[in-house]
Amino acid sequence: MQLISIFLGLDTNGHDVDARATALRLAAKWLPLGHTIIEATGRWSGQVGTVDEPTIIIQVFSERDSEARALAGEYKDLCFQESVAITRQEIEVDFV
């Protein structure tokens, strides 16, 4: 089993898009069996120096990452992102 995390920055580079609502809608569409939403702040260095960007991290337990990749690709296009990060970590999970 994998813990897959998708990091979605919410800055749309000036475009009139509700990135947060888009991220939540796409998570429900691509991960309908369940996922976790974490509100965070991403940091990166840009031309203007260090940038703090509101970020949503979507986590899901899965055997494969095809849905996460589809979500990330669609979000990247709709919300004018330069990149979307996806991480995968092998884990053992039990549901009680």
Side-chain angles (χ1 to χ4, degrees):
M1 181 71 65
Q2 299 180 87
L3 173 62
I4 300 171
S5 300
I6 310 160
F7 296 79
L8 305 172
L10 299 180
D11 182 351
T12 61
N13 298 309
H15 292 88
D16 186 23
V17 176
D18 185 340
R20 185 178 192 289
T22 301
L24 297 179
R25 180 178 54 78
L26 292 175
K29 172 185 171 181
W30 287 106
L31 307 169
L33 298 179
H35 52 276
T36 299
I37 302 289
I38 301 168
E39 304 277 348
T41 301
R43 293 190 101 204
W44 49 278
S45 294
Q47 293 177 342
V48 297
T50 302
V51 176
D52 291 323
E53 181 177 1
T55 300
I56 287 181
I57 303 167
I58 301 171
Q59 292 186 319
V60 63
F61 298 115
S62 183
E63 295 291 344
R64 59 180 201 258
D65 68 357
S66 56
E67 290 86 358
R69 288 184 167 281
L71 186 163
E74 191 170 348
Y75 182 83
K76 182 179 176 191
D77 292 342
L78 291 174
C79 293
F80 304 92
Q81 298 295 299
E82 291 180 27
S83 64
V84 172
I86 302 172
T87 63
R88 291 166 227 59
Q89 181 180 5
E90 290 294 324
I91 61 167
E92 291 184 30
V93 63
D94 293 312
F95 293 96
V96 180

